[in-house]
Amino acid sequence: STSRPSAAPPPPPEVIAATTSPVIRLISGRAAISRTRNGIADAAAVSRGAHEAGGHVIGLPMTGWTHLQPNEWNAELVWAEDYPRRLGEMLSCRAVVALDGGIGTLSELAVVWSARQTEDGAPILIAVGDRWRRILGELSKDLIANPDDFELVTVVATPAEALEAIRSPKVVTPPGPRG
């Protein structure tokens, strides 16, 4: 964990934490978001953009992923020993933004989406790109879910729209557990 000297001012309200996958943990306000297909490049680009914008960047690396190294733009690291801890960190934030990704990104999106369905105070969930629009569209055809459940995911075309969705989130009432 990297810490700031005590004389340093507190981080600005634009605080973000980037994971080593394309799901980005946003604690508040503002971030730069990259749309590359490589998760490591995503995390580095997001971390660098947030750092250059004056944000305090927190990385969420997994201790078992020894072949991956956290990028240099992280002000601090919150190591997760396993997925429950990693997901717990994500669920504790204000918003989660899913960029292009694979099975890990899909699973993280699904866990946050499920929490958003049943829990007050769950993170805002934003998916960036046409790929997510298509995936969610296909799921809406066959998944046993109501249209209200799909309203819990805000799908946007661009990173700039994701930032706007964080600043001005749509108001939705969690439908609650369905049993």
Side-chain angles (χ1 to χ4, degrees):
S1 172
T2 305
S3 60
R4 294 180 325 275
S6 59
E14 300 83 26
V15 179
I16 94 159
T19 71
T20 55
S21 78
V23 174
I24 306 306
R25 172 187 170 202
L26 291 157
I27 299 171
S28 69
R30 181 176 153 203
I33 301 174
S34 170
R35 282 190 74 204
T36 65
R37 298 243 10 224
N38 181 317
I40 295 167
D42 279 344
V46 170
S47 298
R48 181 177 180 177
H51 172 81
E52 289 175 352
H56 183 76
V57 182
I58 304 166
L60 295 173
M62 296 279 284
T63 56
W65 296 353
T66 56
H67 64 290
L68 299 175
Q69 294 299 313
N71 68 70
E72 65 192 270
W73 305 103
N74 293 302
E76 65 181 278
L77 300 173
V78 176
W79 290 92
E81 294 176 18
D82 52 29
Y83 271 106
R85 286 188 180 98
R86 180 181 176 92
L87 293 170
E89 288 292 326
M90 287 184 180
L91 291 169
S92 72
C93 16
R94 179 169 175 248
V96 173
V97 177
L99 304 172
D100 289 343
I103 294 168
T105 306
L106 177 62
S107 65
E108 291 170 341
L109 179 136
V111 167
V112 175
W113 188 11
S114 181
R116 188 137 168 84
Q117 179 191 43
T118 60
E119 307 292 326
D120 288 329
I124 299 163
L125 182 56
I126 301 162
V128 179
D130 287 334
R131 185 171 281 126
W132 284 117
R133 190 174 312 281
R134 289 191 309 272
I135 290 168
L136 292 167
E138 288 300 313
L139 286 173
S140 72
K141 294 175 186 176
D142 292 314
L143 194 66
I144 300 172
N146 294 329
D148 290 351
D149 296 319
F150 289 89
E151 290 297 316
L152 300 171
V153 183
T154 300
V155 182
V156 298
T158 66
E161 290 175 14
L163 293 175
E164 185 56 36
I166 292 165
R167 289 185 192 113
S168 302
K170 65 182 176 182
V171 178
V172 292
T173 303
R178 299 265 169 31

